[in-house]
Structure formats: C-alpha cells, structure tokens
Amino acid sequence: MKQGFLHTLSRSQFQELLKAFAPTAAEPVPFDQAHQRVLAEGLLSPEDLPAGRRSAMDGYALAARDAFGASESNPAYLECLAEIEVNRAPDFALEPGTCAWIPTGGFLPQGADSVVMVEYTQEMGAGTIEVRQSLAPGENVMEQGEDAASGEPALSAGSRLRTQEIGLLAALGIGSVRVHRRPRVGIISTGDELVAVDAKPQLGQIRDVNSYTVACLAEEAGGVARRFGIVGDDLDGLVAVLQTALADSDLVLLSGGSSKGTRDMTIAAIEALPDMEILAHGVSISPGKPTILARVGDKPVVGLPGQVGSAQVVMTVLGQPFIRHLAGARQAFEEILRPLRRARLARNLASRQGREDFVRVRLEPAAGGLPLAQPVMGKSGLLRTLLQSHGLLVIPAESEGFQQGDEVDVWVL
Amino acid sequence: MKQGFLHTLSRSQFQELLKAFAPTAAEPVPFDQAHQRVLAEGLLSPEDLPAGRRSAMDGYALAARDAFGASESNPAYLECLAEIEVNRAPDFALEPGTCAWIPTGGFLPQGADSVVMVEYTQEMGAGTIEVRQSLAPGENVMEQGEDAASGEPALSAGSRLRTQEIGLLAALGIGSVRVHRRPRVGIISTGDELVAVDAKPQLGQIRDVNSYTVACLAEEAGGVARRFGIVGDDLDGLVAVLQTALADSDLVLLSGGSSKGTRDMTIAAIEALPDMEILAHGVSISPGKPTILARVGDKPVVGLPGQVGSAQVVMTVLGQPFIRHLAGARQAFEEILRPLRRARLARNLASRQGREDFVRVRLEPAAGGLPLAQPVMGKSGLLRTLLQSHGLLVIPAESEGFQQGDEVDVWVL
C-alpha cells in the first residue's frame, strides 16, 4: 500500500501511532534478574506478608486497653512477662496487666494488639514497666497480610519491577516471574559517506557514529541493540538488510545519512516490502522533524534523522519511550515520572510557535538555589555541542520562547 | 585500632569520608561496551575531526566576498560549477564569482569559505544561482578540527562516557579505552530472623529482602553486585564471611538485621579484623541514622540500616554516589545533575531541625502544571509504603518542614 503525502504530525499524534504497537511476548525470568523489567501477568500473593502481627518498633507489646489514658503525669504500670526474640514467634499469651519486650520485627504474642515505643516507657525494677503514653489498638504494629494478603493481587500486569518490587518478590519467595521480553532493536546506518569505525576514512568520508549512539540509547531504555551495519546508496542492498533486521528484531531503527537522498531511499526500501504502511513522515519537533514511522507486517520501523544530535533528540523524546512501551511499560509516554532538573535560564530563547524546540543546555552552579541553564549553540552537525551539554530544555509548541531568568525544566541526558 | 564513641555526622561530613577512598584501577574495554563507564586516562585526538571543512547545511559553497552585501533587494549572482557529492571531497577549486551545490556534511572545495542555505537562493537557469543573503566567512561551515584537533585532548580523565562521548570515540576511530573497573560490591545480610528466599519461613522468620534490593541499587549505580549470603547471630561466622567478601570486593555492604544486636555485631566483626578503623557511626539523615562506615585495609565497609526502606534511602543518598565515585566519576556527590521532579506538596510536612528528612512521596497528575507530591506515610517496616512511592522528598537539615502548596524537588526512585 503506497502512501501519498503525509502531513507533519504533532508529537502527541506521533506517540499515539507508536502506542498502537503491541508489547513483546512474555518470558520467565528469575526474580533477581528481573530488575526494571515489566510484569506480563499479574501476581497473586502465595501467602500473607507479614505472616503474623509484627512490631514496627523496639518497645513493649501490650493490649491497648491496659494503657488506656496513660500519660506523662498519669502513667500505667504493667508487668513484663518475657523478652520476645526477633527470630521466634512467642509461645505465650499476655494476660491483662502484662506486657513483653519486643524488638522491631518481632511477632506479637496472643493478647497484645499494640506496641509502645521504648522511649515512652521506663523500667521500674522487679519486672514492672511504666508506660507514659496511651495507644490505639494496632499502633506500631504491622498487621498480618498488610503488605500482601494470601490469594490477593500483589502486583498487577504492567508493573515495572523497581527495587522495591524486587524486594516484594523476595519477601514472598516468588523465585521466577513472567515479564515482557526485552525488545530486540535492530539498527541500520545508511549513507554513502559512512565507513566502519575501524576503517580510515578517505577525504569526504566519515565514520559511522549513529549506530553506536543509537545503540547506547536503545540499551538504556531496556532494549537489546543489534547493529546490522552500514548500507550505502544501494536500494536493493538496503531492502535486503532491512528484511534481515526485521526478521530478528521487534523494532528496526534506520539512521539516515544527512542528505535528502538517503531519506528518500529509506522510504523506498520500506515500500519495497510486502504488507507495509508508511504511518508518518515528519513530526513537529526541532531538531528531529524528518522522522519516519512505518509498519512492516506488525513490526515498527523508525527512520531517524541523520545528524547525530537530531537522532539523539528523537531517540530521547520518542524512541526511548517507545522501547519502554514495547517492553510492556504502561504509560511509557507519560511525563510525570520523567526526571527533570529545574534551572534558571541564562539568556532569552526565542522559538517558533507550532513546533516543540529541544535546546541543548549546560547546567552551571549558581549562587542561591537553582543552577543556570546555559544554551549550547553551534552547528548542528558537530559533536562538540553535544559533548558540552548536560540536557535538553523543551520549549512547548504553543510558546514563543523563554526569557532570561525564567525557571525551566531540563531533561537530563 | 579500637574506636570510642563517634558523633553522628552530617551528610556532607559522611560524604567527605567516602570521597577519601580511591577509585578502582583501570582496564581496557572496547569503546562500544564502555557506555556509562569513566575514563581512567585522558585521550588525545589521533586526527582532526572533521578531517576537512564540512558544510552544516544543504546549500551552495562560495567565497563570502562574492556575496558581500547581497540581500533580497540586491541579490548576488554566481555561476554554479558543480554538485559536490556527500561522500567525496571535491577535486576542483572555486574561481571568483562561482559556487558549487553542497549537501549537509559535504566537504568544501578550495576557494570556498562559507555556505549559503538553499532557502536563500534561487536557480535562475543556465547555471546561474541568485544569492539573497550576505555571509560571514565560516558561516554554516564546520571547520577542520572543530570537534577535535589532532594531538589535542579530546576527553579528560574522569569523563563519564555518555552517549555523546561514545559517539566521539566512534567518530575518531578509537576502538578501545582505559576505564575504571566496575566496582565489585559484596553484600552480606545479617539477622537471626532471616531465611533464604527459596526457604519457607517459620513463624518469626522472614525472607532476606535487603540482599536483593541493595544489589539492584548497587548495579544501577554501575557496580557488580555479589551476594555473600545470610549470617545469623554468630560473630565468628560474620568475621569469616566479611573476610571472604573483602577479598573479592572493592566495597562491602552489610545489611543489618532490624535489631540493635546485629548492629553491634557488625561493629564487633569489623573490629575483629586487622588494620581497620571505624570511621563513622551514625549520619544525621532520617531514615538512615544508624549507618556505619569503616575501613579495613584500604577497602570500605558500610553497615546499612536493616529496615528495607531505610536501607533504600541510605543507598540512594550515600551508597549509589559512593559506588559512582569508586567507578571513577568526578563529582559523584555533586547534586547539580541529579534528576529531580518538581512538584507541589499536597499537605504540610514538619521536620526536626538538624537532620535531613527523606520523605517518600507519590506523584499524582494535577491540573495546570506541576504534579502533586503526596507523602506516603506508614510503618517503616512495611514494603507497602515503598511500593506506593515514586520518589523521595528532601527536607533540608536547616528547615522545619514545608507547607502545603510549596514547590518541592522529588528524587525519582
């Protein structure tokens, strides 16, 4: 199906197209190798966590009614029956008017419903404990099943396994989980002027940079990057490499040469394949406008701009969230958790309305609070501007720019 | 050398002690496997990059003096001699009054010193090009050696190899670099109540969680984590495991049980080793106060608090920057590049002056701008509060807290 002229899309329109691709299939992975992976299936808790009522503090386990109304000026007095050990459930029960020393994490004895912190008590000798605080039942107690209840959902499908989720799996003894496979990202560099990194370029030629920078960014987002080499100005060659890459990848990224010719060849190579659709040709971000999105069968192909800085912006803004989406993350395109560095803009920055501008900035310490965001200007083909930058400042499509001194959010690269 | 009572240190005092430990030794690594590693030695550029003068734009290469004073109303007219190809250096020179078509990235011919963008030109037929813009020499040209000059420093020792630095290595054909070895982080869990993840806990026992959460955080910071198992209330056993771990690690993390007894045992085990020094016992952050720092020979040992949430805070605030420091990063403890999420506090938060408070928060979308930071309260031993959190809000030591509606920075976890 050949496509005619396609309008430039807004970033959110482009993202909607990306979201329509399905995440990768599930695979079983040992829980301690699943950090940052995404659950493909919800998990029920196999047991109660905690397994019983545990103390959240060092102190005395007691029945709250036995310290009813207790205060500094009107303490209650209880008999201490025993010291509970942290590794053993107590085998005795509290009678009215008694308590037991309990360490943090210790299991409460029968008859106790709360724990008074040691700071609010005093040993009076002869086993008598003065309690100078009134307690509510349940106070300083982790209830049985409060973290996870047997048979109830513990983690839902689509949960990213952060450190704390790995901790929950450990606590529940869940040794293996079904997570989405890491997306295999095939990378092809195109451009007649490109030579391999280990080659000596002739005058006019340059070494292939984008295969490596794009691979770094793909891996950073959780993908497994594989480079399929460099293709020059050879349509048949590109079609063949693209087919090979598609067979072994969940997503193929074509890093175009800088010239318009290689962009046209990217489109032509995609159009030479069966069951394809060019979904977008152009997105209204700068840099990054000439980005291409296509579907071949059910697999996505993205054509990145050739300039290394432009490719980096497109990968950061669209490519990395897309790889996280393919890896199963819900809300991969949501911005709420994107880490940003608040900074103060060092000089005026104008922007054309109707497109999002991503301006490279350097962050410099400044007296009294926010760092200074210093725009790094320079020719877009240079690496120097990237090397000098710490992050990207986003000028929204509806804005005409920012003024010197404005507070801005910087995406840290 | 036994130590007496040690005062609780401020975070910056504690960090100064951490900074005194030397980074790991250098090792050679292929450049495309060195992403996020830190250079152990500075690199000189083996060649000029770009290798010649290249165009930053699609347009016409010319001598700026031939378009002197050109404008919309007063264009200059030049004869176009040739089309330069992107992959070949031109073998001709421009005469006065001539120009050549040049693609982005193309090498300039002799006699040209600037490039006029195609948008400011018009083909007039018969090889004549109308130029409607005056140019400065060098305009839209990447100068030879502008990214890196042969024999000059390209990257300095201590540089973290981000995506763009990997790109520079590719562009220069530097196939291998000497970077600091990834710090080997040995992890020991202590606590009589702990059982292995694949065991069924008896009532009173719990599974070892911290070995796994701490390992995730160590790996996230660039370390190679290795778990040395669980040690119960057995000083000789702990001394033996600590020695084994020290022999194979650049840093040993002891994750204490939740009880005071295991903390004391950590100190006793360190004190049983030759050439040791307890450097700090206590840091004025909350949670995380009972953190221990010691030196055994020239290797650091850190005793983490036993509560999983406290250990996570200490790892985030001190442990991860320390691992980055050991991995060679300059300014590993500098905060300027720490990614933060600006948010609006959902309710008042009080804090005691004199200690830094790290409060877990959940970020929720809010109408009109900043997300809402909702403090997640709950008993400190529970995993639930960690699972519900997105980040940590820092209340500085000198502050008495924040008010509802205050703008705050959240460390995204």
Side-chain angles (χ1 to χ4, degrees), chain A residues 1 28 39 51 83 89 145 166 170 230 277 296 344 370 383 402:
Chain A
M1 174 171 50
L39 280 186
E83 292 202 2
I166 298 293
I230 302 166
E277 192 176 355
V296 179
R344 198 170 294 286
L370 294 180
L383 279 161
F402 291 120

Side-chain angles (χ1 to χ4, degrees), chain A residues 173-372:
Chain A
I174 297 174
S176 174
V177 285
R178 290 185 66 79
V179 292
H180 290 278
R181 201 162 34 67
R182 290 180 65 190
R184 297 162 302 165
V185 181
I187 298 168
I188 305 171
S189 266
T190 61
D192 247 7
E193 74 278 28
L194 299 181
V195 299
V197 162
D198 55 5
K200 175 78 190 157
Q202 303 300 309
L203 206 62
Q205 298 178 323
I206 57 170
R207 294 193 184 86
D208 172 29
V209 168
N210 278 359
S211 285
Y212 297 93
T213 53
V214 168
C216 287
L217 293 164
E219 297 258 351
E220 200 172 84
V224 180
R226 180 168 163 199
R227 295 186 305 275
F228 285 85
I230 302 166
V231 183
D233 189 9
D234 166 13
L235 181 59
D236 291 344
L238 182 56
V239 171
V241 174
L242 183 53
Q243 277 182 307
T244 305
L246 277 164
D248 272 339
S249 309
D250 300 301
L251 160 66
V252 174
L253 300 174
L254 286 148
S255 161
S258 49
S259 67
K260 188 169 173 301
T262 59
R263 287 208 300 274
D264 296 343
M265 200 175 71
T266 295
I267 296 274
I270 294 166
E271 287 180 339
L273 298 176
D275 187 18
M276 71 84 212
E277 192 176 355
I278 307 285
L279 299 167
H281 190 175
V283 55
S284 55
I285 63 176
S286 173
K289 184 165 183 289
T291 301
I292 295 161
L293 175 64
R295 172 186 70 70
V296 179
D298 56 1
K299 289 187 178 171
V301 177
V302 174
L304 299 168
Q307 297 276 28
V308 56
S310 309
Q312 189 187 38
V313 167
V314 173
M315 280 301 292
T316 304
V317 174
L318 296 166
Q320 291 192 318
F322 186 37
I323 291 168
R324 292 193 191 97
H325 166 81
L326 293 176
R330 286 177 301 202
Q331 307 173 316
F333 295 93
E334 280 249 4
E335 303 274 302
I336 194 169
L337 291 180
R338 179 180 287 281
L340 303 166
R341 196 69 179 83
R342 193 79 156 191
R344 198 170 294 286
L345 190 56
R347 65 172 188 70
N348 294 350
L349 265 185
S351 167
R352 214 176 61 194
Q353 272 192 312
R355 75 168 188 216
E356 270 181 306
D357 275 344
F358 293 85
V359 179
R360 281 185 277 276
V361 297
R362 188 168 181 80
L363 294 173
E364 295 168 0
L370 294 180
L372 213 58

Side-chain angles (χ1 to χ4, degrees), chain B residues 15-369:
Chain B
Q15 286 173 349
E16 288 307 312
L17 294 174
L18 296 176
K19 283 183 198 171
F21 287 93
T24 59
E27 65 176 0
V29 168
F31 88 99
D32 57 347
Q33 290 163 38
H35 188 215
Q36 297 299 356
R37 301 286 287 272
V38 177
L39 279 186
E41 298 167 6
L43 281 178
L44 300 184
S45 182
E47 56 190 61
D48 280 341
L49 184 74
R53 307 176 90 187
R54 296 177 68 207
S55 177
M57 296 288 170
D58 289 350
Y60 293 91
L62 47 75
R65 66 177 175 277
D66 282 347
F68 181 76
S71 67
E72 285 284 340
S73 56
N74 180 31
Y77 294 91
L78 282 79
E79 183 195 349
C80 183
L81 290 186
E83 293 203 0
I84 294 166
E85 288 175 69
V86 73
N87 60 340
R88 204 164 298 151
D91 54 3
F92 59 90
L94 293 186
E95 300 295 319
T98 67
C99 65
W101 166 259
I102 192 164
T104 303
F107 281 68
L108 267 68
Q110 291 289 325
D113 62 9
S114 53
V115 173
V116 59
M117 286 169 69
V118 64
E119 290 86 334
Y120 296 103
T121 66
Q122 176 100 36
E123 276 192 65
M124 307 301 288
T128 300
I129 306 298
E130 180 182 85
V131 176
R132 299 193 300 260
Q133 193 187 38
S134 188
L135 293 158
E139 199 158 337
N140 297 325
V141 172
M142 299 180 274
E143 297 294 341
Q144 180 170 342
E146 192 172 351
D147 268 337
S150 180
E152 296 293 313
L155 293 171
S156 55
S159 298
R160 177 178 292 279
L161 300 175
R162 305 172 298 169
T163 301
Q164 45 268 60
E165 280 79 17
I166 298 293
L168 180 66
L169 296 174
L172 291 171
I174 296 174
S176 174
V177 286
R178 290 184 67 77
V179 292
H180 289 280
R181 200 160 38 65
R182 290 179 66 189
R184 297 162 303 165
V185 181
I187 299 167
I188 305 171
S189 266
T190 62
D192 246 7
E193 73 277 29
L194 299 181
V195 298
V197 163
D198 54 6
K200 175 78 190 157
Q202 302 300 308
L203 204 62
Q205 298 178 322
I206 56 170
R207 293 192 185 87
D208 172 28
V209 168
N210 278 0
S211 285
Y212 296 92
T213 54
V214 168
C216 287
L217 293 165
E219 298 258 349
E220 198 172 84
V224 180
R226 179 167 164 203
R227 294 186 305 276
F228 285 85
I230 302 167
V231 183
D233 188 9
D234 166 13
L235 180 60
D236 291 344
L238 182 56
V239 171
V241 175
L242 183 53
Q243 278 182 306
T244 305
L246 276 163
D248 272 339
S249 309
D250 301 301
L251 160 65
V252 174
L253 300 174
L254 286 148
S255 161
S258 49
S259 67
K260 188 170 172 301
T262 59
R263 286 209 300 274
D264 296 343
M265 200 174 73
T266 296
I267 296 275
I270 294 167
E271 287 180 340
L273 297 177
D275 186 20
M276 73 83 212
E277 192 176 356
I278 306 286
L279 299 167
H281 190 174
V283 56
S284 56
I285 63 176
S286 172
K289 184 164 182 290
T291 301
I292 295 161
L293 176 64
R295 170 187 73 69
V296 179
D298 57 1
K299 288 185 179 171
V301 177
V302 175
L304 298 169
Q307 296 276 28
V308 56
S310 309
Q312 189 186 39
V313 167
V314 173
M315 281 301 292
T316 304
V317 173
L318 295 167
Q320 291 192 317
F322 186 37
I323 291 168
R324 292 192 191 99
H325 166 80
L326 292 175
R330 287 177 300 202
Q331 306 175 316
F333 295 93
E334 280 248 3
E335 303 274 305
I336 194 170
L337 291 179
R338 180 181 285 283
L340 303 165
R341 196 69 178 85
R342 193 80 155 188
R344 198 171 294 286
L345 190 57
R347 64 174 188 69
N348 294 349
L349 264 185
S351 167
R352 213 177 61 192
Q353 271 191 310
R355 74 168 189 214
E356 271 181 304
D357 274 345
F358 293 85
V359 179
R360 282 185 277 277
V361 296
R362 187 169 181 79
L363 294 172
E364 294 168 0

Side-chain angles (χ1 to χ4, degrees), chain A residues 146-147 162 171 340 384 389, chain B residues 146-147 162 340 384 389:
Chain A
E146 191 172 350
D147 268 336
R162 303 172 299 167
L340 303 166
R384 179 171 289 276
S389 305
Chain B
E146 192 172 351
D147 268 337
R162 305 172 298 169
L340 303 165
R384 178 170 288 278
S389 304

